[in-house]
């Protein structure tokens, strides 16, 4: 028997609420402040059918390019036949979360600026580059 190719086909777990997370959406989701240029994660809320993004955009991170009364326009990259196309989609605010992808970068930027300022005052050269995890120090075991 052939399977279906509907808009919500093969979304059994994707568009399902987590255990003990059912019920109405929180008011803070509607009052979330979103500005043009913010990074947002598209995460479809299955209890709200209006303005739901297509399943291909679920879990994607994009940049807000437009803010309307009840929705936001998001620029998202999509893989189409081996090339990446920037798609512009409008999604209702219920299906969007603030992204945490920039937090580590901004935190590192602040710490780097503080380290640079301290280095200028003390005259000591400081390395601001991220270092990969180094091998552990060698050691000898005592005989039991």
């Amino acid at each position: 028997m052939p399977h279906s190719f509907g808009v919500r086909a093969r979304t059994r777990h994707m568009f399902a609420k987590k255990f003990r997370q059912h019920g109405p959406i929180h008011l803070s989701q509607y009052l979330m402040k979103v500005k043009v240029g913010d990074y947002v994660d598209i995460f479809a809320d299955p209890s709200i059918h209006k303005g739901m993004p297509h399943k291909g955009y679920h879990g994607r991170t994009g940049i807000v390019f437009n803010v309307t009364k009840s929705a936001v326009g998001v620029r998202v990259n999509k893989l189409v036949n081996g090339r990446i196309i920037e798609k512009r989609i409008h999604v209702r605010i219920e299906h969007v979360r603030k992204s945490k992808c920039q937090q580590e970068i901004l935190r590192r930027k602040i710490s780097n600026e503080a380290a640079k300022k301290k280095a200028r005052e003390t005259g000591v050269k400081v390395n601001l580059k991220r270092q990969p995890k180094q091998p552990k120090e060698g050691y000898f075991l005592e005989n039991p």
Side-chain angles (χ1 to χ4, degrees):
M1 198 169 155
H3 65 345
S4 62
F5 294 97
V7 176
R8 291 181 63 151
R10 294 175 288 285
T11 59
R12 178 181 181 179
H13 300 292
M14 185 188 295
F15 290 163
K17 288 246 188 181
K18 297 270 191 292
F19 178 62
R20 292 174 63 185
Q21 298 297 317
H22 299 267
I25 194 164
H26 297 292
L27 195 61
S28 60
Q29 181 69 31
Y30 291 102
L31 300 173
M32 183 173 65
K33 289 182 179 162
V34 181
K35 298 193 294 281
V36 173
D38 284 355
Y39 281 83
V40 291
D41 296 329
I42 298 170
F43 200 90
D45 188 335
S47 63
I48 312 290
H49 298 158
K50 250 186 164 179
M52 185 184 273
H54 188 265
K55 63 188 175 192
Y57 299 108
H58 183 82
R60 296 294 178 98
T61 301
I63 302 171
V64 175
F65 74 89
N66 187 22
V67 180
T68 64
K69 174 173 61 79
S70 58
V72 291
V74 185
R75 293 185 296 145
V76 188
N77 290 333
K78 184 179 180 186
L79 185 68
V80 180
N81 294 334
R83 65 193 194 279
I84 295 173
I85 298 176
E86 183 190 75
K87 304 282 281 188
R88 290 172 165 240
I89 60 170
H90 279 82
V91 183
R92 277 178 81 109
I93 199 75
E94 297 97 271
H95 308 291
V96 157
R97 296 176 181 173
K98 283 251 185 182
S99 182
K100 297 177 182 174
C101 65
Q102 294 290 97
Q103 281 184 345
E104 198 270 333
I105 295 169
L106 295 173
R107 193 168 43 245
R108 196 162 40 89
K109 183 179 168 186
I110 291 166
S111 66
N112 283 356
E113 291 300 323
K116 275 197 271 186
K117 187 178 179 186
K118 188 177 179 187
R120 268 190 235 110
E121 292 169 359
T122 58
V124 179
K125 190 175 179 187
V126 64
N127 185 17
L128 300 175
K129 291 184 179 179
R130 290 178 290 173
Q131 294 296 323
K133 190 176 177 184
Q134 300 296 319
K136 292 180 182 176
E137 288 290 323
Y139 58 93
F140 293 104
L141 290 174
E142 293 180 15
N143 285 337

